[in-house]
Amino acid sequence: MDIQHLAQIIDDAAKNAIAIPQLSIDHPFDETTAYDIQAASIQRRIQRGEQLVGLKMGFTSYAKMEQMGVHDMIWGRLTDQMLIQNGETISLDTMIHPRAEPEICFRISKDVDKQLTMDDIPEYVDGIAAAIEIIDSRYQNFKFSLEDVIADNCSSTGFVVGEWHPIDTPLSNLSMNLSFDGKLQQEGNSDAILGNPWQSLLDASRLAIKYGESIKKGAYIMAGAATPATYIKEGIMVQAEVERLGSVSFNVK
Ligand code: OOG
Ligand code: MG
C-alpha cells in the first residue's frame, strides 16, 4: 500500500476539483490506513502553506449516516484555506458537487492534552456558534465507503462560523435549519448530534489523542451535521439558523 501515492491522488482531485473513482476499489485498505492517507494528504496542503485550524466530526447524527449509508463516527482536519467568513461570497469553481449542512462549532481556549470529560469543558472551550459546513466528496457521485471518506478528509471543503456565544448557552433540543434564499431545505435538532453536541467535542478529544493529533488553543471543532446535506448551486444565499445561537450564512456567486 503506497500511502503517499494515494494521498497524492486524493489531494490532486481536491486541488483540481475533478472527481475520481473510489480509492478502495482498486486498493482496499483498512480504517487505520485511511487515516494515514488523510494525514499524508493534509501534509501536502501544509507544505503548500496551509495551516491546521481545527477538526471536524462526521456521521455524528443518524440523519447523516442514513443519507450516506455509512455507520461510524469519523473525523477530519480543517485548514485555514477552508474557513469562509460569515456573509462572504464564494465561487464554486474550486468544487466538484458541493453540499451544505447545518452544524455547531466549538472554540478551544487551551491546548488539549488529554481526553476531555464534560467537567473539563469550561477550562478548554470558550465559545459556541452556529456553523455551516460545505462538504464536497472527491469521489464520483458522492459515493464512498467509510475508509474512502476518511482518506478524503471526510469530504471537508469549507466551513463558516457565526457569532460566538458563551459556553453556558444550553445546547439541548435546539432547532437547526438550513435554508437557501430563505427557503427551508433541511430541518433538524441539536439532540440529533450524539444526543448532545458536547459529546462530539469530547469524542474529538478522544480521537485526537488516539491518532496523535493535537487540538490547540483557538482551534475550531465542528460537531457534525444534524440533518442530511443539500447540494448548493450558483446564485443562492445559504443560511443556517440554530435556535439560541442565531444564524450564519454565505452567498454563492
Ligand atoms: C462526509 C462528511 C460527514 C458530517 O457532518 O456528518 C460530515 C460526507 O457526508 O461526505 O461532515
Ligand atoms: Mg459536516
Side-chain angles (χ1 to χ4, degrees):
M1 178 66 47
D2 188 346
I3 287 169
Q4 292 302 331
H5 178 60
L6 296 183
Q8 182 181 349
I9 293 174
I10 202 81
D11 181 48
D12 284 349
K15 204 157 41 101
N16 303 327
I18 295 174
I20 55 170
Q22 290 175 237
L23 283 184
S24 66
I25 291 175
D26 286 339
H27 319 265
F29 49 86
D30 62 14
E31 199 173 315
T32 307
T33 307
Y35 279 110
D36 290 342
I37 297 168
Q38 181 192 129
S41 82
I42 295 297
Q43 207 46 49
R44 296 175 65 88
R45 285 172 172 258
I46 288 169
Q47 270 155 18
R48 290 198 293 275
E50 290 181 43
Q51 283 176 11
L52 278 178
V53 295
L55 302 180
K56 65 162 275 183
M57 299 296 286
F59 303 137
T60 50
S61 71
Y62 282 108
K64 279 292 302 182
M65 290 192 277
E66 287 305 315
Q67 181 181 34
M68 305 317 296
V70 167
H71 296 270
D72 212 351
M73 200 187 292
I74 56 176
W75 67 279
R77 284 134 166 129
L78 300 171
T79 75
D80 58 342
Q81 203 198 57
M82 300 174 191
L83 183 61
I84 295 163
Q85 295 306 312
N86 192 2
E88 192 178 328
T89 298
I90 64 158
S91 156
L92 301 186
D93 289 353
T94 55
M95 301 177 198
I96 301 166
H97 40 206
R99 289 169 154 171
E101 52 191 22
E103 301 217 8
I104 288 171
C105 186
F106 301 104
R107 185 175 59 193
I108 298 294
S109 55
K110 178 181 175 182
D111 291 0
V112 177
D113 45 10
K114 60 172 188 180
Q115 181 176 334
L116 302 181
T117 66
M118 291 289 178
D119 291 341
D120 295 320
I121 287 169
E123 197 182 333
Y124 287 88
V125 185
D126 69 356
I128 53 182
I132 304 171
E133 186 179 28
I134 301 176
I135 51 173
D136 188 31
S137 176
R138 267 54 71 166
Y139 300 114
Q140 290 161 356
N141 305 316
F142 228 110
K143 260 200 76 211
F144 43 67
S145 67
L146 188 70
E147 293 78 18
D148 284 320
V149 68
I150 291 168
D152 183 24
N153 196 29
C154 306
S155 311
S156 309
T157 294
F159 67 107
V160 196
V161 181
E163 219 171 279
W164 292 110
H165 291 256
I167 60 160
D168 58 2
T169 311
L171 283 187
S172 75
N173 194 25
L174 305 181
S175 68
M176 293 180 66
N177 297 332
L178 181 77
S179 62
F180 293 172
D181 292 331
K183 229 180 116 214
L184 192 64
Q185 303 293 318
Q186 299 286 351
E187 225 176 339
N189 187 286
S190 59
D191 290 354
I193 304 167
L194 300 173
N196 174 0
W198 285 112
Q199 186 57 47
S200 184
L201 175 91
L202 305 187
D203 281 314
S205 74
R206 174 178 60 80
L207 292 164
I209 299 285
K210 175 174 171 191
Y211 288 96
E213 184 62 49
S214 55
I215 300 178
K216 299 271 189 229
K217 180 177 181 336
Y220 301 90
I221 307 290
M222 294 283 281
T227 73
T230 305
Y231 285 110
I232 57 177
K233 52 181 189 286
E234 273 151 30
I236 59 171
M237 195 260 284
V238 178
Q239 186 172 53
E241 191 159 1
V242 181
E243 197 181 344
R244 285 179 180 270
L245 299 181
S247 64
V248 54
S249 68
F250 65 91
N251 301 292
V252 186
K253 224 186 259 171

